[in-house]
Amino acid sequence: MKAFRLDELEAERAANDGAYLQFLHAQTMSLGLYALDAGEADRQRPHQQDEVYLVVSGRASITVGMETTQVARGSVVFVPRGTAHKFHHITEDLRVMVVFSPPES
C-alpha cells in the first residue's frame, strides 16, 4: 500500500520550487500535485495521456478545447489526450490532484 498526505505533498512540492510534483508512478497511471497561485499563468501544453484533475483547493476557470467552466474545491475535470487546456482567472491559490493514464514519463 502507498498512502499520502496532501499537506506533506504540498510541503515537498514547495521545497522543490516547482509547480508540479509527481508522487506516484505505476504501470497504468501516475499521480501528481499541481499548484498555481492566484493570478499566475498556467503554461502547460497538451499531454500525450488522458488526465483527470481533482481540485483540492482554490478557485479558477479552466478551458479544455473550446469549453470553459469554473472550478473550485471538489471539481473534477477530464482532459482527453492531446487536447489544449489551461487554468486561468485564478482568484484563489489553486491546488489540483492530477491523474495521468497511461503514466506520464
Side-chain angles (χ1 to χ4, degrees):
M1 173 197 309
K2 294 185 180 187
F4 305 93
R5 291 180 43 101
L6 282 173
D7 56 344
E8 293 171 355
L9 295 172
E10 174 61 13
E12 182 179 349
R13 184 206 57 78
N16 289 312
D17 292 326
Y20 183 72
L21 170 71
Q22 183 182 90
F23 61 90
L24 178 72
H25 189 278
Q27 184 176 354
T28 59
M29 74 171 75
S30 60
L31 295 172
L33 181 63
Y34 188 43
L36 293 165
D37 291 335
E40 190 173 352
D42 182 3
R43 303 194 191 295
Q44 65 180 319
R45 297 177 185 215
H47 308 287
Q48 295 179 352
Q49 306 84 0
D50 289 335
E51 67 184 306
V52 174
Y53 291 116
L54 168 60
V55 178
V56 175
S57 63
R59 292 187 177 278
S61 295
I62 186 171
T63 298
V64 178
M66 300 299 290
E67 297 180 81
T68 299
T69 192
Q70 302 287 317
V71 294
R73 182 176 182 236
S75 297
V76 178
V77 178
F78 171 69
V79 180
R81 69 187 73 210
T83 304
H85 58 287
K86 298 250 184 249
F87 289 100
H88 52 92
H89 296 96
I90 302 167
T91 58
E92 295 177 16
D93 292 353
L94 192 63
R95 299 300 181 264
V96 181
M97 188 76 56
V98 185
V99 180
F100 285 104
S101 181
E104 186 180 44
S105 31

